[in-house]
Amino acid sequence: MSQVSSPGNAVHRPKKKQPPDNALRRLLRGRHNSIRYRFITRPREWLEYALFRITGGTWIDYYTKRLDRAAARSKEDLGRQEYVVQGEEHFAIIKANGLKPNDRFLDYGCGILRVGIHVIRYLEPKHYTGVEISKDRLARGREMAAQHGVADDRYQTLIVHDCHLKELGDQQFDFIWAWSVVNHMPNRDVQDMLAAMRKHLAPGGQFIFMFNDGGRSGRIGIKDFLVPRATMQKWCEDAGFAFSLLPDVIQDTYRLARLTIPSRG
């Protein structure tokens, strides 16, 4: 199985030419990607998030607004071939892990349907459900899916407003997928989601998700959360799942976990 180099769903653009590196620039940059991010972007993000919290907003409120802005900026970019190619890479992982055409599939954090267009074509009609917090990303995804020949009546999408998944009702799924979602969720939200997801996994089904095992609990920047494997395993088992790790297909400290329902007896 080929490695996937980028865990996120960002649209890839040609990199701008960077000025020559030197000791001073490295000192000013610190452990961050750029001097600009350290001294301008990062403080602005934390200030915005603080204002959300002060006014009673949640992490999901903040992150939803952030994703909506990203969808607006990427309107033209979604038509590029990268939209399809990156989804194909993820779809290859899904198929390699046993997805069947008659499976009921839940795409948790489906975003712009980058993976969805491939899964929808592969599955029987109406066997794909995508859930997303950003209505603008989802609208952009449905638009792009139509442009790639995916009919609206072959799948369903839902906007969810928290981690309790009430919008899913009593639906159960044979295959649940979450790519670059859990690693952008605070600890309490992850635990709430796992507890809610347990009833939506059908007997014999599997839930595969990516998380960032940095060997410690912590946070990188505003939106990337680290959870050690042992901690993640405990949360999953406390929610009623059996936990295992898939062979590495992602670089750095990202891991793919597989959850199943434990057999009785």
Side-chain angles (χ1 to χ4, degrees), residues 82-98:
E82 287 94 331
Y83 173 89
V84 179
V85 171
Q86 291 162 17
E88 286 175 345
E89 294 174 343
H90 302 168
F91 179 52
I93 298 173
I94 293 170
K95 281 192 67 179
N97 282 283

Side-chain angles (χ1 to χ4, degrees), residues 28-249:
L28 290 174
R29 188 174 66 237
R31 61 185 179 87
H32 303 283
N33 293 331
S34 69
I35 297 172
R36 178 181 178 83
Y37 178 79
R38 182 181 183 183
F39 293 106
I40 299 177
T41 305
R42 184 171 180 265
R44 185 176 62 212
E45 289 177 339
W46 279 105
L47 177 60
E48 182 182 23
Y49 179 49
L51 291 174
F52 265 86
R53 297 307 304 269
I54 290 171
T55 57
T58 65
W59 170 256
I60 291 179
D61 296 328
Y62 166 78
Y63 203 57
T64 298
K65 184 174 181 180
R66 182 186 177 105
L67 292 175
D68 284 343
R69 285 201 303 259
R73 289 196 302 268
S74 63
K75 181 176 181 180
E76 295 180 359
D77 293 329
L78 295 184
R80 295 180 177 178
Q81 183 64 17
E82 287 94 331
Y83 173 89
V84 179
V85 171
Q86 291 162 17
E88 286 175 345
E89 294 174 343
H90 302 168
F91 179 52
I93 298 173
I94 293 170
K95 281 192 67 179
N97 282 283
L99 181 68
K100 301 182 295 295
N102 63 339
D103 280 345
R104 298 279 178 177
F105 186 95
L106 175 63
D107 196 351
Y108 181 68
C110 63
I112 56 175
L113 300 180
R114 191 189 310 274
V115 178
I117 61 169
H118 304 284
V119 176
I120 294 164
R121 289 168 175 164
Y122 177 75
L123 294 177
E124 294 178 4
K126 301 183 180 179
H127 277 221
Y128 172 96
T129 297
V131 296
E132 172 62 41
I133 62 173
S134 167
K135 67 180 188 307
D136 289 351
R137 276 169 64 85
L138 192 53
R140 197 73 69 209
R142 293 190 70 100
E143 174 188 336
M144 291 306 305
Q147 290 183 24
H148 285 84
V150 178
D152 278 352
D153 60 0
R154 284 189 59 91
Y155 67 101
Q156 71 165 338
T157 56
L158 300 167
I159 293 293
V160 294
H161 300 93
D162 55 36
C163 299
H164 301 290
L165 304 176
K166 297 182 294 294
E167 295 83 358
L168 289 174
D170 296 326
Q171 294 183 74
Q172 287 195 317
F173 303 90
D174 306 295
F175 201 120
I176 301 173
W177 172 259
W179 180 275
S180 195
V181 180
V182 174
N183 54 302
H184 296 312
M185 296 170 61
N187 293 356
R188 184 70 259 170
D189 286 1
V190 174
Q191 293 172 77
D192 288 344
M193 178 275 293
L194 290 168
M197 195 69 82
R198 174 62 178 77
K199 75 172 186 177
H200 296 295
L201 184 61
Q206 59 179 325
F207 173 19
I208 296 177
F209 67 89
M210 186 182 75
F211 70 100
N212 193 346
D213 173 12
R216 62 181 178 87
S217 296
R219 197 167 185 167
I220 301 174
I222 188 76
K223 68 182 182 69
D224 294 292
F225 296 85
L226 303 175
V227 179
R229 171 189 169 167
T231 301
M232 183 61 75
Q233 180 169 349
K234 183 179 186 306
W235 292 348
C236 294
E237 291 174 349
D238 287 347
F241 294 105
F243 174 96
S244 62
L245 285 182
L246 296 179
D248 286 345
V249 294

Side-chain angles (χ1 to χ4, degrees), residues 13-29:
R13 300 178 177 85
K15 291 185 178 181
K16 295 179 180 179
K17 187 176 181 180
Q18 299 294 325
D21 206 0
N22 55 47
L24 178 59
R25 289 186 61 83
R26 289 193 296 271
L27 177 65
L28 290 174
R29 188 174 66 237

